[in-house]
Amino acid sequence: MSKRIQAKYKIDRRMGENIWGRAKSPVNAREYGPGQHGQRRKGKLSDFGIQLRAKQKLKGYYGNITEKQFRRYYDEASRRKGDTGENLVGILESRLDAVVYRAKFVPTVFTARQFVSHGHVLVNGRRCNVPSAMIKPGDVVEIRQRSREIQPVVQATQSAEREVPEYVAVEGHKATFVRVPTLDEVPYPVIMEPNLVVEFYSR
């Protein structure tokens, strides 16, 4: 079973942004940070602070990715040709749990991780229970037959909270990963700045 490392919405309040764009986010009601000092006036962030915040926001958006794993994604992105920030977003969006979430098979990224870990997902007809598995363009991700009536699946497919992006083609309970997306194709509810993440790691 996947372990949630921290409270789900704590990062929302720390950043002061509704990073998943959900109606239940506490930021919608309280824009200040958590804790007894949350309402104090915030000081001006240094360049390092701005870069760190951009990194925490992007990493936090994809659920409980560890720092070691996220750094490995950055190293891989910097080895590839082209813009490192764009490459990093492409790698994150190629994760199996991200594709399951984008296909609207589940309501949240946290549910996507758990859903994959519990063996409810097939990749090209074979069961895969590794949320961080990399999906290639043309791969088909589908929900197992016996898992299609699970409540989170029914709830997500009927929800109008978000749309399926163009780089994932969905037919019923099957989704084809069409291509690795660029930054402007990814439907982030808030502005993500992978260029600042690159600056953070290349200091």
Side-chain angles (χ1 to χ4, degrees), residues 179-195:
R179 63 179 179 278
V180 177
T182 58
L183 176 60
D184 15 335
E185 288 182 297
V186 182
Y188 291 123
V190 294
I191 296 170
M192 293 292 183
E193 299 166 298
N195 57 311

Side-chain angles (χ1 to χ4, degrees), residues 121-128 135 138-145 148 174-175:
V121 174
L122 305 175
V123 177
N124 297 328
R126 301 180 69 178
R127 192 167 78 161
C128 181
I135 303 301
D139 284 351
V140 176
V141 176
E142 65 179 301
I143 303 173
R144 291 176 69 194
Q145 187 71 42
R148 294 178 181 182
K174 284 187 180 183

Side-chain angles (χ1 to χ4, degrees), residues 4 7 15 25 29 55 58 67 80 111 141 145 148 166 183:
R4 181 173 296 163
M15 299 295 158
S25 174
K55 191 265 291 186
L58 185 63
E67 178 59 32
R80 294 183 182 181
T111 317
V141 176
Q145 187 71 42
R148 294 178 181 182
E166 289 183 3
L183 176 60

